[in-house]
């Protein structure tokens, strides 16, 4: 193209600008809690593979490339694990993992809850932790089944039995509670 300003002509160049989306850094472990005596867990990466895993201080990985955790070498505690992609538009996502010595799935909610309220998290007594949360009957939706946070906006009004299950060295311990969701 040619532009003329104050009698001077200038021909410019066309420039193509490509905007790409951030890499998908989605990953998940099969549970929110693991026993020190259990089998070392490896996450499933559903986003872009080939990234690297990191964690808050104390957690030991068998491999930061796969995210496999070395349970026997990791002290009991809760850690935030982060997966960072290395594609054209790097991105990261994080989730909590708790390493326990003896499973205690005890928890509670303080409901009933209105569908327009803030999403509630379960409360755990000292020493208890999250495993995998499920509910019956159908209609209750979790933000994450690994944390037990309930998505009130997408859940149906009703009364539900919520179960927290932790599998440790082949045995599963469970705790249940009842939670009610009422209208707005």
């Amino acid at each position: 193209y040619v532009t003329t300003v104050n009698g001077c002509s200038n021909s410019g160049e066309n420039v193509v600008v490509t905007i790409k989306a951030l890499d998908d850094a989605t990953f998940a472990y099969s549970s929110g809690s693991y026993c020190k005596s259990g089998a070392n867990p490896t996450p499933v990466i559903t986003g872009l593979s080939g990234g690297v895993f990191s964690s808050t201080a104390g957690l030991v990985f068998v491999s930061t490339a796969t995210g496999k955790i070395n349970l026997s070498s990791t002290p009991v505690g809760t850690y935030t694990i982060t997966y960072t992609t290395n594609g054209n538009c790097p991105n990261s996502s994080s989730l909590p993992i708790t390493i326990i010595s003896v499973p205690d799935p005890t928890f509670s909610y303080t409901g009933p809850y209105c569908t327009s309220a803030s999403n509630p998290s379960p409360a755990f007594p000292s020493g208890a932790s999250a495993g995998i949360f499920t509910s019956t009957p159908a209609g209750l939706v979790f933000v994450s089944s690994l944390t037990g946070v309930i998505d009130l906006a997408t859940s149906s009004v009703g009364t539900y039995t919520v179960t927290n299950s932790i599998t440790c060295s082949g045995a599963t311990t469970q705790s249940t509670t009842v939670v009610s969701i009422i209208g707005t």
Side-chain angles (χ1 to χ4, degrees):
Y1 64 91
V2 176
T3 58
T4 303
V5 176
N6 296 332
C8 296
S9 298
N10 184 10
S11 61
E13 294 181 29
N14 288 330
V15 176
V16 176
V17 176
T18 303
I19 300 173
K20 295 183 177 186
L22 287 173
D23 295 343
D24 181 356
T26 307
F27 74 102
Y29 286 88
S30 62
S31 180
S33 294
Y34 292 97
C35 294
K36 285 184 66 67
S37 60
N40 292 335
T42 302
V44 173
I45 301 168
T46 55
L48 182 65
S49 61
V52 66
F53 287 87
S54 60
S55 174
T56 49
L59 186 128
V60 178
F61 287 104
V62 171
S63 167
T64 56
T66 65
K68 187 173 190 173
I69 300 170
N70 186 329
L71 295 174
S72 63
S73 297
T74 300
V76 169
T78 298
Y79 303 91
T80 300
I81 296 178
T82 302
Y83 175 66
T84 304
T85 64
N86 63 358
N88 290 329
C89 298
N91 194 12
S92 63
S93 63
S94 300
L95 58 85
I97 292 289
T98 302
I99 309 301
I100 56 178
S101 57
V102 177
D104 180 359
T106 307
F107 71 104
S108 63
Y109 291 98
T110 60
Y113 300 103
C114 294
T115 56
S116 60
S118 296
N119 292 337
S121 297
F124 299 97
S126 179
S129 62
I132 299 175
F133 286 85
T134 57
S135 69
T136 56
L140 183 105
V141 179
F142 293 104
V143 172
S144 169
S145 63
L146 300 180
T147 63
V149 175
I150 297 172
D151 187 339
L152 293 173
T154 59
S155 293
S156 300
V157 171
T159 299
Y160 302 92
T161 299
V162 178
T163 302
N164 178 24
S165 303
I166 300 175
T167 300
C168 183
S169 302
T172 300
T173 57
Q174 296 180 329
S175 178
T176 61
T177 192
V178 173
V179 64
S180 294
I181 300 175
I182 57 177
T184 56

